[in-house]
Amino acid sequence: MSSFVNPFDRHGGIDLPERAAAIKLWTRQTLPLTEESVVSVSEFSCAKPSCPNRQTVILVMSEDAPTKKISIHKSIADVCEADVFDACLDLLRNWPS
């Protein structure tokens, strides 16, 4: 007996909490963060006409520095490790020493 696959499921069965956890891990592996730093991952609609419908926003919060925002113009389900790495590289160019 095969399991039912919902053809209307936009994320193709991807477990979004697990994907968000992976995005947090990839962010921590790429940026020089302390253990106290908080990494938050959310998905929002993008209001700009030039970008896709969904975007993933990563917030990096620390007591010692202002909150840093990373935007990836893909849904959480579509973000891969290379996307996070590339987005973090942009942020690292302006990272405080």
Side-chain angles (χ1 to χ4, degrees):
M1 179 175 174
S2 65
S3 62
F4 174 75
V5 176
N6 182 351
F8 300 108
D9 181 8
R10 291 183 41 210
H11 300 296
I14 291 176
D15 190 359
L16 294 181
E18 285 183 13
R19 180 54 63 102
I23 292 169
K24 290 178 186 181
L25 175 66
W26 299 331
T27 302
R28 288 190 172 280
Q29 290 174 335
T30 306
L31 297 175
L33 303 177
T34 64
E35 287 196 29
E36 292 79 25
S37 296
V38 175
V39 178
S40 170
V41 176
S42 302
E43 183 177 299
F44 297 98
S45 294
C46 184
K48 296 178 183 177
S50 62
C51 73
N53 291 338
R54 308 302 288 171
Q55 70 174 332
T56 297
V57 175
I58 305 167
L59 295 178
V60 178
M61 297 165 277
S62 171
E63 288 183 11
D64 303 336
T67 298
K68 294 163 184 59
K69 176 184 170 187
I70 303 167
S71 294
I72 301 172
H73 294 282
K74 294 182 176 182
S75 68
I76 287 176
D78 295 332
V79 171
C80 67
E81 187 173 3
D83 296 324
V84 174
F85 182 78
D86 290 343
C88 287
L89 283 181
D90 289 339
L91 184 62
L92 278 172
R93 291 185 185 113
N94 299 316
W95 197 265
S97 303

